[in-house]
Amino acid sequence: MKNAYLFGLAGVVLLLAGAAQAQDFTPKSKGQFIVTTRLTTVAPDESGDIKTAAGVDSGLEVEVGNSTVPTLGFTYFFTDHIAVEGILGTSKHKIKAVGAGTDVAVHETWVLPPVVTVQYHFNPKGRVSPYIGAGVNAMIFYEGKDKNGFKVDLDNGFGTAVQVGVDVALKGKWALNFDAKKVFFETDADINSGALKSGVTLDPWVVSVGAAYRF
């Protein structure tokens, strides 16, 4: 499903790129500031066995749901090719314990996952301008709600991220943006005051499509 989503959004970008060929546009350049509004899907690629306090495998695993939310990106160009981007947004995720004969919601939480990346833009003067990036992220969990008699505590922390994307210039200062980030992050989950625990690898895909305005 995640790969189908990526290819689908890429197809939209290519179609709109073809439609924009005859329009005047503002190229990327040193000193430029870009604000991008996006629709973003945060899709955890999670893994994590649930164990007892003594380290015995319970036979259950952690499952984390996807979330689609609006986000904002802020990009500044230090040179024609080198830029830094920060993204802001918050997403809500349902956490379940799953296993043989078990599929139960244990927690629901909001996550504030700011990501800052340094980018290299390959074709800043062109209408179609791809880029790559790498950087850091934070995961801050808040307003958590326990479910079905469970009590869950998640540790905040920091991780890393890689990025690939493309800007397709439209008319004037407007552009279409397609962006995909892979975030690498692990957290510890404490369940029922330590009776159960799990080291959870979240590693979400953060996949976006949106509109950018160049100042």
Side-chain angles (χ1 to χ4, degrees):
M1 288 296 294
K2 294 182 179 72
N3 287 338
Y5 186 79
L6 289 169
F7 285 119
L9 289 179
V12 171
V13 169
L14 292 175
L15 287 172
L16 290 178
Q21 288 301 311
Q23 312 235 8
D24 293 331
F25 69 97
T26 301
K28 298 174 181 176
S29 62
K30 177 182 177 180
Q32 191 174 77
F33 182 67
I34 299 177
V35 176
T36 307
T37 59
R38 297 178 171 122
L39 185 64
T40 298
T41 293
V42 181
D45 189 14
E46 77 282 357
S47 63
D49 296 331
I50 299 175
K51 299 181 179 180
T52 69
V56 178
D57 192 343
S58 70
L60 300 175
E61 295 183 348
V62 173
E63 183 177 283
V64 183
N66 298 348
S67 181
T68 299
V69 294
T71 59
L72 283 174
F74 303 93
T75 306
Y76 180 79
F77 280 78
F78 290 97
T79 72
D80 286 354
H81 292 275
I82 304 296
V84 62
E85 181 194 38
I87 66 164
L88 293 177
T90 186
S91 56
K92 189 177 183 180
H93 299 268
K94 181 179 289 186
I95 301 172
K96 298 197 294 184
V98 298
T102 302
D103 187 341
V104 59
V106 299
H107 194 69
E108 193 171 69
T109 185
W110 286 91
V111 186
L112 185 66
V115 181
V116 177
T117 58
V118 176
Q119 302 172 334
Y120 183 83
H121 293 251
F122 292 95
N123 184 32
K125 303 302 182 185
R127 184 177 297 279
V128 179
S129 178
Y131 59 86
I132 57 174
V136 296
N137 84 289
M139 289 283 185
I140 303 168
F141 302 97
Y142 69 99
E143 292 190 3
K145 293 183 179 180
D146 295 319
K147 302 286 185 179
N148 296 311
F150 289 88
K151 182 179 179 181
V152 178
D153 182 60
L154 300 169
D155 288 346
N156 301 331
F158 295 92
T160 58
V162 293
Q163 176 185 34
V164 61
V166 62
D167 291 306
V168 181
L170 301 174
K171 186 176 182 180
K173 295 182 178 182
W174 289 97
L176 179 72
N177 173 259
F178 168 73
D179 185 272
K181 298 177 181 70
K182 179 67 171 178
V183 176
F184 302 94
F185 177 80
E186 298 180 2
T187 185
D188 290 323
D190 185 273
I191 306 167
N192 293 346
S193 301
L196 297 170
K197 59 185 179 180
S198 181
V200 184
T201 299
L202 290 175
D203 290 358
W205 281 99
V206 182
V207 182
S208 307
V209 63
Y213 187 82
R214 303 173 181 183
F215 290 88

